[in-house]
Amino acid sequence: ICSFVRSPKGFPKLKNDTFLRAARGEETEHTPVWCMRQAGRYLPEFRETRAAQDFFATCRSPKLCCELTLQPLRRFPLDAAIIFSDILVVPQALGMEVVMVPGKGPTFTEPLKEVEDLLKLRQKVDVTAELGYVFQAITLTRHSLEGRVPLIGFSGAPWTLMSYMIEGGGSTTMAKAKSWLYRHPEASHRLLRLLTDVVTDYLVGQVAAGAQALQLFESHAGHLGPEQFQDFALPYIRDIAQAVKSKLKEEALPLVPMIIFAKDAHYALRDLARAGYEVVGLDWTIRPQEARAQTGKDVTLQGNLDPCALYAPKEKIGELVKKMLEGFGTQRYIANLGHGLYPDMSPEHVGAFVEAVHTHSRHINKH
């Protein structure tokens, strides 16, 4: 199904635009649903496709990315696809080496240690030269979807990318990265600005390639308190929304809805709702009603079932989904988990989640 297509234009007509309508705040017959990490190790076919390949080699293969993106859609009636890729392709584009170590996760061979290390990074990045493989994957997947559902592109946000680049991998404290914010604020801003420029071009390139919505992942927001978030995360999150939109206009590209997902940043929900994104994604640690009260009526909310709820029996999943829908309301809302799917989750339970969202939201809308 994923044979390479040359022309990015002439995409198939979209048959299910529920996700895009909800993102723009238009009325929907049912609440759309997709899952973060929906293309993932919980699917046996994913493990089979990935088995022979190095992780980042997979990311660089448009054909494989297309196949992995489509796998969950063959199983579940999801309302959106998200391109299979990784947020760490951006540091790679800046010249850093990242490898996937089994059992450990992504690892930087030479993380940033001193301020001088910033000079080793590419100061000007040609995203088409460095990340063209992602654009090819998007174009190919958009054609291969045959208009079934919209395709979401994404990037990591600057602070989250910076924290990986300094920590050299995952970390429970982010102590090395945060120490930069306290000890080297100017250098931190320099790095964040560089990342902002690259992320902006990268997201615009994804729309040019065929992405119909964009999500920015500030996955490490929870490591910052309100003040550091105000200084080192929010301004760049805002800048990206503004710059992407103005470049899309300049290049006569479609103005696609944008989603900001800042994990564990409840202290910043009011600001995030005014940061220029159509959709604010939520993790599972906030009550739906509270999130609505803080974000107001002008943004769509996305989330936020605890991923671990999918370990519950199927009937229980249905009850939890119903409660979530009653909390958020079925309009201006996109159902999702509060974070990604875990590798040991049952595909049947994922199916039960998707089905429950459709069934209960249709029922609530009728009554």
Side-chain angles (χ1 to χ4, degrees), residues 46-123:
F46 177 95
R47 292 196 294 270
E48 213 173 295
T49 309
R50 277 270 303 105
Q53 279 272 30
D54 163 72
F55 178 79
F56 285 108
T58 304
C59 290
R60 284 189 287 272
S61 159
K63 236 175 162 164
L64 285 175
C65 290
C66 173
E67 168 57 26
L68 294 170
T69 303
L70 294 180
Q71 283 176 353
L73 292 152
R74 295 190 191 121
R75 277 189 186 246
F76 316 115
L78 294 152
D79 294 290
I82 183 163
I83 194 67
F84 177 82
S85 185
D86 194 87
I87 64 171
L88 298 182
V89 298
V90 171
Q92 287 176 334
L94 287 164
M96 294 186 84
E97 193 189 355
V98 191
V99 291
M100 196 57 84
V101 178
K104 188 185 173 196
T107 306
F108 285 72
T109 49
E110 288 183 40
L112 304 173
K113 289 196 172 77
E114 307 300 330
V115 171
E116 296 76 61
D117 293 343
L118 294 182
L119 299 173
K120 296 178 191 165
L121 300 173
R122 280 191 189 103
Q123 301 304 306

Side-chain angles (χ1 to χ4, degrees), residues 17-28 30-32 257 278-279 299-301 330-335:
D17 66 347
T18 316
F19 164 81
L20 293 179
R21 279 188 290 137
R24 293 191 294 255
E26 295 163 19
E27 207 171 311
T28 59
H30 67 264
T31 296
E278 285 69 27
V279 183
V299 293
T300 293
L301 295 180
T330 57
Q331 300 298 322
R332 261 211 181 277
Y333 173 54
I334 296 161

Side-chain angles (χ1 to χ4, degrees), residues 112 159-169 171 173-184 188 191 220 223-224 228 232:
L112 304 173
W159 154 249
T160 294
L161 295 173
M162 169 184 170
S163 63
Y164 272 114
M165 291 159 75
I166 294 170
E167 294 291 339
S171 155
T173 59
M174 295 292 155
K176 290 179 188 155
K178 285 181 74 176
S179 82
W180 270 57
L181 304 182
Y182 286 109
R183 288 166 45 226
H184 313 301
S188 296
L191 175 54
H220 296 167
H223 291 279
L224 303 176
Q228 281 193 318
F232 296 103

Side-chain angles (χ1 to χ4, degrees), residues 313-328:
K314 287 195 234 179
E315 312 70 70
K316 179 71 177 162
I317 293 172
E319 288 166 31
L320 292 166
V321 165
K322 183 168 180 276
K323 194 176 167 205
M324 176 172 82
L325 285 161
E326 286 163 353
F328 281 110

